[in-house]
Amino acid sequence: LSLVVQKYGGTSVGDVDKIKNVARRVVETKKRIDHVVVVVSALGDTTNNLVSLAAQISKTPPEREMDMLLSTGEQVSMALLAIALNELGQDAISMTGQQVEILTDTGHTRAKIRHIGADRVVQELRKGRVVVVAGFQGVTSEGEITTLGRGGSDTTAVALAAELHADSCEIYTDVDGVFTADPRVVPQARKLDEVSYMEMLEMAATGALVLQSRSVEYGRNYGVPLHVRSSFHQGEGTWVKSEDDIMEKAIISAVTHDFSESKVTVVGVPDRPGVAARLFGALAEANVNVDMIIQNVSEHARTDISFTVATDNLTKVRKVAGDIGEAVGAEGVNFDADIAKISLIGAGMRSHPGIAAGMFQTLADNDINIEMISTSPIKISCVVRGADGERAVQTLHDHFGLSD
Ligand code: ASP
Ligand code: MG
């Protein structure tokens, strides 16, 4: 039997007409495919609006209550879609994360899925129903509602697809697929027909917002092919799949950018064992993800440590880095929110030397200063001034010939 999981993002279910549209699309799918599971995000800007309501009341709302609040968004869209499907004569039932049994850890607002008990979904599918599942939410073994982090509906969909051994997972969105760069920054950016899980993971981790990173990890770990495509037309989007199945192997696949990070520099820390461990241990303790890290060569037994974090976490980081800085006898701590991280991604750079040099030269030719560099086997990231960010993306996209 064929089985597909479809995920519709917030813009695809932005209003009643769009929900009816999605319902028609699901009915069409059900004619071709035996079993259809649909995962939905909250309507349009719902989640942002809920976040802002809480922010008007408290700077530090309890995370448990944030999950109670945010999980309501998806409950609205799942019910409306199930109503729309029934209206079209398609038997359908909606289910919350708890009803499906999407069990997570207790990390409120960024919970990780531990286990999915999809028995009830399977039973409903066998009755010929379309099952509509609320994305982004789960439940702990204690029965507490959790959410999976912003963009988490993608992860709900791919995790369910893995659990149900779906033939594929279709991610419907308001763009045509995954692009060589953000088309709002690079108008000549090209839609990729296919991209490997590894490349997509790096893209998601460096600022491409189409897929939540964790959903790509699920896809890779369980070999679920992902199809990122538009909910507004029938055209093919981008397939995310295993590198071995990629037909046309490009050296460079994309240039991404991320303006959402800030740089923190702990200045003049004593150069002795344990300082970095203490600093990053405290940040981990405070649940702050650290991205790039650079430690300078020490002079006079003192050194600078710079790292980047999500600007959203800056309030927490100020406190933690300030405290630790003082405790270890650092000379000071600087914070800089005006940075951009620009990354070049491509599986082919493993076997083609000189890509990094080409990137640095292109930035130099355009008078763009590099402040931090980090690499993985298939990615090079540079931190530059925020004001240079878009120009850096454009010139790199051009230099590496990604338009044609
Ligand atoms: N509604 C949630 C968010 O806006 C989850 C999602 O859309 O994937 O982050
Ligand atoms: Mg999304």
Side-chain angles (χ1 to χ4, degrees):
L1 290 183
S2 51
L3 191 156
V4 63
V5 175
Q6 299 188 322
K7 179 257 173 178
Y8 292 91
T11 44
S12 307
V13 292
D15 57 39
V16 163
D17 283 332
K18 287 187 178 145
I19 291 174
K20 289 182 183 171
N21 203 35
V22 166
R24 280 192 287 273
R25 195 152 187 154
V26 172
V27 169
E28 280 306 307
T29 310
K30 186 74 178 76
K31 288 183 187 151
R32 292 182 286 112
I33 309 277
D34 300 309
H35 295 315
V36 181
V37 175
V38 183
V39 173
V40 284
S41 292
L43 268 64
D45 285 331
T46 304
T47 310
N48 286 338
N49 294 339
L50 293 171
V51 168
S52 117
L53 281 178
Q56 290 170 46
I57 300 175
S58 169
K59 275 208 185 81
T60 52
E63 290 181 329
R64 176 193 186 272
E65 302 309 328
M66 284 309 288
D67 280 350
M68 294 299 271
L69 179 68
L70 298 190
S71 60
T72 61
E74 273 69 14
Q75 212 161 318
V76 171
S77 46
M78 71 170 196
L80 289 176
L81 181 57
I83 291 169
L85 285 164
N86 282 294
E87 188 64 20
L88 292 178
Q90 171 61 54
D91 204 359
I93 181 172
S94 67
M95 291 170 93
T96 62
Q98 183 158 22
Q99 287 172 320
V100 173
E101 271 186 60
I102 299 180
L103 285 182
T104 72
D105 64 14
T106 56
H108 282 293
T109 74
R110 68 194 92 74
K112 294 200 174 75
I113 298 176
R114 288 273 177 257
H115 172 77
I116 298 185
D119 294 356
R120 179 110 195 257
V121 173
V122 171
Q123 281 170 27
E124 297 297 342
L125 290 172
R126 289 203 177 121
K127 293 180 198 157
R129 290 178 165 160
V130 166
V131 180
V132 184
V133 176
F136 176 55
Q137 56 177 259
V139 65
T140 69
S141 52
E142 264 79 62
E144 293 283 56
I145 291 175
T146 51
T147 62
L148 308 178
R150 298 305 305 270
S153 298
D154 295 337
T155 299
T156 306
V158 183
L160 262 174
E163 180 65 32
L164 296 166
H165 305 288
D167 301 302
S168 70
C169 182
E170 299 182 328
I171 309 278
Y172 286 93
T173 174
D174 57 348
V175 292
D176 289 350
V178 180
F179 281 73
T180 52
D182 185 337
R184 284 168 303 188
V185 174
V186 184
Q188 313 88 302
R190 190 170 42 86
K191 189 190 80 193
L192 295 161
D193 292 330
E194 42 184 23
V195 67
S196 67
Y197 294 122
M198 287 307 289
E199 289 168 306
M200 192 64 232
L201 261 179
E202 294 284 14
M203 289 173 71
T206 56
L209 297 173
V210 276
L211 286 174
Q212 199 195 35
S213 304
R214 213 172 298 145
S215 72
V216 186
E217 283 171 26
Y218 263 101
R220 182 194 56 186
N221 293 348
Y222 296 90
V224 185
L226 314 181
H227 189 186
V228 181
R229 58 192 306 192
S230 169
S231 58
F232 304 131
H233 60 76
Q234 304 285 342
E236 284 270 307
T238 303
W239 282 92
V240 186
K241 50 192 185 178
S242 128
E243 198 176 333
D244 300 337
D245 300 334
I246 303 280
M247 308 283 276
E248 240 177 86
K249 293 193 173 44
I251 298 174
I252 302 300
S253 292
V255 187
T256 57
H257 60 87
D258 188 347
F259 288 92
S260 71
E261 292 188 356
S262 291
K263 184 169 78 166
V264 182
T265 306
V266 188
V267 185
V269 292
D271 192 7
R272 58 161 190 261
V275 171
R278 200 153 157 198
L279 175 62
F280 295 108
L283 289 165
E285 191 74 18
N287 247 318
V288 173
N289 267 327
V290 175
D291 183 21
M292 294 167 112
I293 300 177
I294 284 187
Q295 178 174 326
N296 284 344
V297 178
S298 75
E299 257 178 69
H300 314 297
R302 286 185 179 265
T303 182
D304 297 345
I305 299 179
S306 294
F307 56 93
T308 63
V309 293
T311 302
D312 281 348
N313 280 333
L314 212 49
T315 318
K316 259 198 240 179
V317 174
R318 271 181 206 281
K319 171 105 185 53
V320 175
D323 289 354
I324 302 286
E326 208 169 301
V328 300
E331 285 157 12
V333 188
N334 299 331
F335 303 91
D336 183 355
D338 190 20
I339 60 163
K341 183 176 77 171
I342 310 302
S343 308
L344 199 60
I345 287 121
M349 66 174 75
R350 279 179 308 217
S351 45
H352 287 76
I355 301 292
M359 179 176 189
F360 304 153
Q361 189 61 52
T362 304
L363 294 175
D365 290 345
N366 287 277
D367 222 19
I368 296 170
N369 188 43
I370 302 171
E371 302 183 11
M372 298 172 97
I373 300 170
S374 80
T375 63
S376 85
I378 65 164
K379 175 207 73 182
I380 308 158
S381 296
C382 294
V383 167
V384 301
R385 279 294 90 205
D388 292 333
E390 297 205 346
R391 207 157 48 85
V393 176
Q394 288 153 359
T395 52
L396 289 169
H397 193 271
D398 196 46
H399 176 81
F400 288 98
L402 294 177
S403 304
D404 23 86

